[in-house]
PDB file of all heavy atoms in Angstrom:
ATOM      1  N   VAL A 386      -8.851   6.878   2.221  1.00  0.00           N
ATOM      2  CA  VAL A 386      -9.558   6.330   3.320  1.00  0.00           C
ATOM      3  C   VAL A 386      -8.801   5.096   3.932  1.00  0.00           C
ATOM      4  O   VAL A 386      -8.723   4.939   5.142  1.00  0.00           O
ATOM      5  CB  VAL A 386     -10.958   6.047   2.994  1.00  0.00           C
ATOM      6  CG1 VAL A 386     -11.669   5.247   4.142  1.00  0.00           C
ATOM      7  CG2 VAL A 386     -11.732   7.273   2.542  1.00  0.00           C
ATOM      8  N   THR A 387      -8.347   4.357   2.997  1.00  0.00           N
ATOM      9  CA  THR A 387      -7.623   3.108   3.390  1.00  0.00           C
ATOM     10  C   THR A 387      -6.289   3.448   4.232  1.00  0.00           C
ATOM     11  O   THR A 387      -6.052   2.835   5.230  1.00  0.00           O
ATOM     12  CB  THR A 387      -7.195   2.233   2.162  1.00  0.00           C
ATOM     13  OG1 THR A 387      -8.349   1.911   1.448  1.00  0.00           O
ATOM     14  CG2 THR A 387      -6.500   0.976   2.630  1.00  0.00           C
ATOM     15  N   ASN A 388      -5.678   4.542   3.771  1.00  0.00           N
ATOM     16  CA  ASN A 388      -4.500   4.906   4.526  1.00  0.00           C
ATOM     17  C   ASN A 388      -4.899   5.521   5.926  1.00  0.00           C
ATOM     18  O   ASN A 388      -4.143   5.283   6.878  1.00  0.00           O
ATOM     19  CB  ASN A 388      -3.753   5.980   3.800  1.00  0.00           C
ATOM     20  CG  ASN A 388      -2.710   5.381   2.827  1.00  0.00           C
ATOM     21  OD1 ASN A 388      -1.571   5.383   3.165  1.00  0.00           O
ATOM     22  ND2 ASN A 388      -3.168   5.059   1.636  1.00  0.00           N
ATOM     23  N   ARG A 389      -6.029   6.155   5.980  1.00  0.00           N
ATOM     24  CA  ARG A 389      -6.494   6.616   7.294  1.00  0.00           C
ATOM     25  C   ARG A 389      -6.872   5.515   8.238  1.00  0.00           C
ATOM     26  O   ARG A 389      -6.595   5.525   9.445  1.00  0.00           O
ATOM     27  CB  ARG A 389      -7.740   7.527   7.132  1.00  0.00           C
ATOM     28  CG  ARG A 389      -7.450   8.726   6.205  1.00  0.00           C
ATOM     29  CD  ARG A 389      -6.482   9.679   6.743  1.00  0.00           C
ATOM     30  NE  ARG A 389      -6.947  10.534   7.766  1.00  0.00           N
ATOM     31  CZ  ARG A 389      -6.241  11.482   8.355  1.00  0.00           C
ATOM     32  NH1 ARG A 389      -4.976  11.587   8.141  1.00  0.00           N
ATOM     33  NH2 ARG A 389      -6.818  12.240   9.286  1.00  0.00           N
ATOM     34  N   ILE A 390      -7.399   4.440   7.695  1.00  0.00           N
ATOM     35  CA  ILE A 390      -7.652   3.242   8.477  1.00  0.00           C
ATOM     36  C   ILE A 390      -6.342   2.668   8.976  1.00  0.00           C
ATOM     37  O   ILE A 390      -6.206   2.244  10.168  1.00  0.00           O
ATOM     38  CB  ILE A 390      -8.449   2.255   7.649  1.00  0.00           C
ATOM     39  CG1 ILE A 390      -9.917   2.700   7.377  1.00  0.00           C
ATOM     40  CG2 ILE A 390      -8.602   0.864   8.434  1.00  0.00           C
ATOM     41  CD1 ILE A 390     -10.678   1.898   6.398  1.00  0.00           C
ATOM     42  N   GLU A 391      -5.324   2.501   8.125  1.00  0.00           N
ATOM     43  CA  GLU A 391      -4.038   1.973   8.473  1.00  0.00           C
ATOM     44  C   GLU A 391      -3.460   2.724   9.625  1.00  0.00           C
ATOM     45  O   GLU A 391      -2.803   2.238  10.542  1.00  0.00           O
ATOM     46  CB  GLU A 391      -3.188   2.009   7.285  1.00  0.00           C
ATOM     47  CG  GLU A 391      -1.778   1.375   7.467  1.00  0.00           C
ATOM     48  CD  GLU A 391      -0.918   1.357   6.266  1.00  0.00           C
ATOM     49  OE1 GLU A 391      -0.926   2.318   5.526  1.00  0.00           O
ATOM     50  OE2 GLU A 391      -0.296   0.315   6.026  1.00  0.00           O
ATOM     51  N   GLU A 392      -3.624   4.096   9.646  1.00  0.00           N
ATOM     52  CA  GLU A 392      -3.106   4.947  10.725  1.00  0.00           C
ATOM     53  C   GLU A 392      -3.983   5.000  11.929  1.00  0.00           C
ATOM     54  O   GLU A 392      -3.772   5.708  12.838  1.00  0.00           O
ATOM     55  CB  GLU A 392      -2.910   6.371  10.140  1.00  0.00           C
ATOM     56  CG  GLU A 392      -1.873   6.477   9.066  1.00  0.00           C
ATOM     57  CD  GLU A 392      -1.740   7.847   8.470  1.00  0.00           C
ATOM     58  OE1 GLU A 392      -2.592   8.699   8.873  1.00  0.00           O
ATOM     59  OE2 GLU A 392      -0.810   8.160   7.698  1.00  0.00           O
ATOM     60  N   GLN A 393      -5.102   4.219  11.937  1.00  0.00           N
ATOM     61  CA  GLN A 393      -6.030   4.122  12.981  1.00  0.00           C
ATOM     62  C   GLN A 393      -6.645   5.546  13.327  1.00  0.00           C
ATOM     63  O   GLN A 393      -6.789   5.883  14.463  1.00  0.00           O
ATOM     64  CB  GLN A 393      -5.378   3.551  14.184  1.00  0.00           C
ATOM     65  CG  GLN A 393      -4.879   2.084  13.998  1.00  0.00           C
ATOM     66  CD  GLN A 393      -4.264   1.462  15.134  1.00  0.00           C
ATOM     67  OE1 GLN A 393      -3.940   2.155  16.175  1.00  0.00           O
ATOM     68  NE2 GLN A 393      -4.053   0.164  15.135  1.00  0.00           N
ATOM     69  N   TYR A 394      -7.006   6.264  12.300  1.00  0.00           N
ATOM     70  CA  TYR A 394      -7.585   7.562  12.411  1.00  0.00           C
ATOM     71  C   TYR A 394      -8.766   7.695  11.553  1.00  0.00           C
ATOM     72  O   TYR A 394      -8.746   8.417  10.641  1.00  0.00           O
ATOM     73  CB  TYR A 394      -6.570   8.671  12.124  1.00  0.00           C
ATOM     74  CG  TYR A 394      -6.926  10.031  12.423  1.00  0.00           C
ATOM     75  CD1 TYR A 394      -7.410  10.383  13.727  1.00  0.00           C
ATOM     76  CD2 TYR A 394      -6.953  11.055  11.483  1.00  0.00           C
ATOM     77  CE1 TYR A 394      -7.874  11.670  14.036  1.00  0.00           C
ATOM     78  CE2 TYR A 394      -7.371  12.342  11.753  1.00  0.00           C
ATOM     79  CZ  TYR A 394      -7.782  12.594  12.999  1.00  0.00           C
ATOM     80  OH  TYR A 394      -8.207  13.959  13.353  1.00  0.00           O
ATOM     81  N   ALA A 395      -9.724   6.828  11.765  1.00  0.00           N
ATOM     82  CA  ALA A 395     -10.882   6.815  10.853  1.00  0.00           C
ATOM     83  C   ALA A 395     -12.171   6.448  11.679  1.00  0.00           C
ATOM     84  O   ALA A 395     -12.147   5.568  12.601  1.00  0.00           O
ATOM     85  CB  ALA A 395     -10.703   5.757   9.750  1.00  0.00           C
ATOM     86  N   ASP A 396     -13.178   7.136  11.357  1.00  0.00           N
ATOM     87  CA  ASP A 396     -14.514   6.957  12.070  1.00  0.00           C
ATOM     88  C   ASP A 396     -15.338   6.069  11.150  1.00  0.00           C
ATOM     89  O   ASP A 396     -15.526   6.277   9.984  1.00  0.00           O
ATOM     90  CB  ASP A 396     -15.222   8.284  12.285  1.00  0.00           C
ATOM     91  CG  ASP A 396     -16.463   8.051  12.921  1.00  0.00           C
ATOM     92  OD1 ASP A 396     -16.589   7.933  14.201  1.00  0.00           O
ATOM     93  OD2 ASP A 396     -17.579   8.111  12.231  1.00  0.00           O
ATOM     94  N   ALA A 397     -15.893   4.975  11.708  1.00  0.00           N
ATOM     95  CA  ALA A 397     -16.567   3.956  10.887  1.00  0.00           C
ATOM     96  C   ALA A 397     -17.713   4.508  10.042  1.00  0.00           C
ATOM     97  O   ALA A 397     -17.752   4.154   8.859  1.00  0.00           O
ATOM     98  CB  ALA A 397     -17.038   2.843  11.817  1.00  0.00           C
TER      99      ALA A 397
END
Side-chain angles (χ1 to χ4, degrees):
V386 174
T387 302
N388 272 266
R389 303 297 279 181
I390 292 171
E391 185 178 41
E392 295 178 351
Q393 299 182 347
Y394 187 56
D396 178 82

